[in-house]
Amino acid sequence: MAYATADELRLFLRHLGAFTDDETATAELLIDLAAGEIDDVTGQPLEQSTNTETLDSPTRQAPWPQAPGTGSHTLILPRWPVTDVTSVTLLNDDEDDEVLEVGKDHDFTWSAAGTLTRVNGWWPTHDQSVQVVYTAGYATIPAGVKRIVLRMAAAAWGNPTLLASESLGDHSRSFSAEALGMVLSEKDKKTLGLYRART
């Protein structure tokens, strides 16, 4: 699901009648650009998707193998909120890869915050050591994020040439800094901080 739809932007703009094909394409482009700015600020896409990630170890290997205290029980996934973990595989160079079982009585557990916790053990201590297939993101984009996307897209729609002000006869108007392009306000950045990536 997209951050917003072209029809939602039409309603936000109070545009009477349906968009033409060209207007719909323009609206979708502006929404995508606004969503991209939000993804850059949060450090992660917020739309729900299934990802395959090969992760480095959370800790470094000590000079001697199996040294106490060199491993970590927790591994942080790049994206959150996590809604499902399909598989976790330990990648071994010298032997067969090991597929772990989920559960408190098995190999690992996971949380919506994106933490994988090893049960009675440690995660490997070398790079590219764990492959995870998981689903993360929001099935429905939060209303606060959608508001920001629609506001940014509407600003670009209403001021495509990025004018600071314009005058027509005895009528003039000025645009705020946020209306000069797809710029996030300080309030927007504070709101988006709630969705920032944790790795």
Side-chain angles (χ1 to χ4, degrees):
M1 167 176 276
Y3 282 54
T5 66
D7 198 54
E8 286 171 330
L9 180 58
R10 180 187 67 79
L11 294 172
F12 190 85
L13 293 167
R14 300 188 182 193
H15 187 286
L16 299 177
F19 274 164
T20 65
D21 289 346
D22 186 60
E23 288 172 330
T24 297
T26 300
E28 289 172 349
L29 173 63
L30 295 177
I31 289 167
D32 285 346
L33 293 174
E37 177 68 14
I38 287 173
D39 290 352
D40 288 345
V41 168
T42 59
Q44 65 168 347
L46 301 182
E47 290 181 88
Q48 189 174 80
S49 64
T50 299
N51 311 276
T52 300
E53 305 271 1
T54 300
L55 306 175
D56 296 333
S57 66
T59 55
R60 292 289 177 184
Q61 177 66 53
W64 58 94
Q66 307 302 323
T70 60
S72 174
H73 291 290
T74 58
L75 185 64
I76 306 297
L77 295 173
R79 294 188 59 210
W80 72 281
V82 174
T83 55
D84 185 49
V85 175
T86 305
S87 69
V88 174
T89 305
L90 303 185
L91 304 177
N92 299 307
D93 293 333
D94 302 330
E95 53 191 82
D96 292 338
D97 296 339
E98 179 184 357
V99 178
L100 301 184
E101 288 188 61
V102 65
K104 292 181 179 179
D105 298 325
H106 296 289
D107 299 313
F108 75 96
T109 60
W110 61 272
S111 71
T115 302
L116 300 181
T117 302
R118 195 73 195 272
V119 177
N120 298 321
W122 291 272
W123 293 106
T125 54
H126 58 276
D127 294 338
Q128 299 185 19
S129 55
V130 183
Q131 185 179 80
V132 185
V133 180
Y134 68 106
T135 302
Y138 295 89
T140 301
I141 295 298
V145 175
K146 179 175 283 191
R147 172 188 57 78
I148 294 169
V149 166
L150 290 174
R151 183 193 54 73
M152 291 174 69
W157 181 282
N159 187 14
T161 56
L162 306 182
L163 295 174
S165 63
E166 65 178 359
S167 298
L168 293 171
D170 61 354
H171 172 76
S172 65
R173 64 177 178 164
S174 299
F175 297 98
S176 67
E178 287 79 16
L180 293 179
M182 295 201 174
V183 178
L184 291 166
S185 69
E186 290 305 313
K187 181 182 177 183
D188 292 339
K189 291 176 184 177
K190 185 175 180 180
T191 298
L192 294 173
L194 299 172
Y195 308 99
R196 199 175 303 278
R198 295 174 178 166
T199 57

